[in-house]
Amino acid sequence: MYTRDQVADQLRRRIETGDLKADTALPSERVLAESLGVSRMTLRVAIDQLAEEGLVVRRPNRRTLVAGDKISRSASFMSFSEEMRTRGWRPHSVIRQMTATVADVSVAAQLNLEVGAKVIYLERLRFADDEPLALERVYLPYARFASLLALDLASQSLYAVMEQELGVRPSVAEESVEAVLLSTEEAEIFGVAAGAPALLTRRITRDDEGAVVEAATSLYRGDRYRMALVRRR
């Protein structure tokens, strides 16, 4: 009888060779278990292992999919919209929230503002074609960007609007990246299983004069993203 690791190895090879193609559903548990000669329980544990590796994606109440090719997110300074267009995809967003609020201690420190200063909060679910890839939460100084509240940012790049409409050029970004697991709420937003891997970035962006123009966090699906860095010595 095969162990779960042996079953996972067989499925991994079938994915790597293209026998199980990216973005397609795995055969049913019954069919897979019979073809591999294992119990459905052993198969489920093996598939869980592949899900942890990002090779398959469990969809709540739907079939498990073979993960698509990962997007290499480079260290170059590009907006999400610019990055997707360079890959030939159509970027668009669903605005989950866009409002004026006040800065707490953390947001105020990041934006170099007084605690309680007015800020804009923007939360967008970012899509490439029709696939949700990133959840973005951005804080901006209200005094400088109040006019953004009247604009439609669902189909426009925030950076492009800053530059073309307001004459503000985002030029430098300080960004950190860490691996996290999606909460139940976040997983529902992306349509994946709770606990799926993700990349969390925290970014402070400055203009040409060195003034902070945004404090942002972005959550990228771990099954669809990898970080690509070029380092020179």
Side-chain angles (χ1 to χ4, degrees):
M1 177 70 69
Y2 289 121
T3 67
R4 65 165 191 185
D5 290 335
Q6 291 172 318
V7 174
D9 283 341
Q10 289 195 45
L11 293 174
R12 194 180 293 108
R13 282 195 294 272
R14 291 179 65 181
I15 291 170
E16 291 170 349
T17 60
D19 180 39
L20 294 173
K21 299 187 183 302
D23 296 314
T24 61
L26 290 179
S28 69
E29 282 188 359
R30 181 184 61 79
V31 170
L32 264 183
E34 289 179 356
S35 68
L36 294 170
V38 298
S39 70
R40 293 173 71 168
M41 181 63 72
T42 298
L43 176 67
R44 287 188 193 119
V45 176
I47 291 175
D48 285 342
Q49 185 174 321
L50 296 184
E52 290 176 2
E53 297 172 14
L55 291 177
V56 300
V57 181
R58 286 195 179 279
R59 303 283 187 177
N61 303 317
R62 286 185 285 172
R63 300 279 285 279
T64 298
L65 299 179
V66 178
D69 293 336
K70 291 198 174 185
I71 301 163
S72 293
R73 187 171 183 270
S74 70
S76 59
F77 188 15
M78 298 174 69
S79 71
F80 178 90
S81 297
E82 291 169 334
E83 196 170 13
M84 294 306 104
R85 288 192 182 103
T86 63
R87 300 175 188 279
W89 295 333
R90 180 180 62 85
H92 67 99
S93 305
V94 170
I95 307 295
R96 290 174 51 81
Q97 192 173 350
M98 188 172 185
T99 187
T101 185
V102 295
D104 60 16
V105 173
S106 175
V107 171
Q110 293 177 76
L111 293 177
N112 291 335
L113 299 173
E114 297 291 331
V115 175
K118 207 168 182 180
V119 294
I120 293 172
Y121 175 68
L122 170 63
E123 182 176 315
R124 294 186 291 178
L125 183 60
R126 315 302 303 274
F127 289 77
D129 290 337
D130 294 318
E131 184 177 17
L133 295 183
L135 180 63
E136 182 182 75
R137 300 179 175 101
V138 180
Y139 287 94
L140 307 131
Y142 181 88
R144 194 170 187 184
F145 297 110
S147 60
L148 291 177
L149 290 169
L151 300 179
D152 176 15
L153 295 177
S155 58
Q156 299 183 77
S157 161
L158 175 60
Y159 289 170
V161 170
M162 282 184 176
E163 194 162 359
Q164 296 166 14
E165 302 292 333
L166 304 177
V168 177
R169 181 175 178 270
S171 59
V172 177
E174 303 162 10
E175 192 169 55
S176 65
V177 184
E178 63 181 290
V180 298
L181 300 179
L182 294 176
S183 68
T184 300
E185 180 185 356
E186 292 163 343
E188 287 177 356
I189 291 171
F190 286 118
V192 299
L199 294 175
L200 176 66
T201 69
R202 293 184 172 89
R203 183 176 66 254
I204 301 294
T205 307
R206 301 176 185 272
D207 64 13
D208 288 332
E209 304 300 320
V212 177
V213 296
E214 72 164 353
T217 61
S218 296
L219 197 59
Y220 295 92
R221 279 173 47 187
D223 63 310
R224 299 294 279 120
Y225 268 90
R226 64 164 60 93
M227 297 300 297
L229 304 175
V230 176
R231 306 178 69 185
R232 291 186 176 88
R233 182 176 178 181

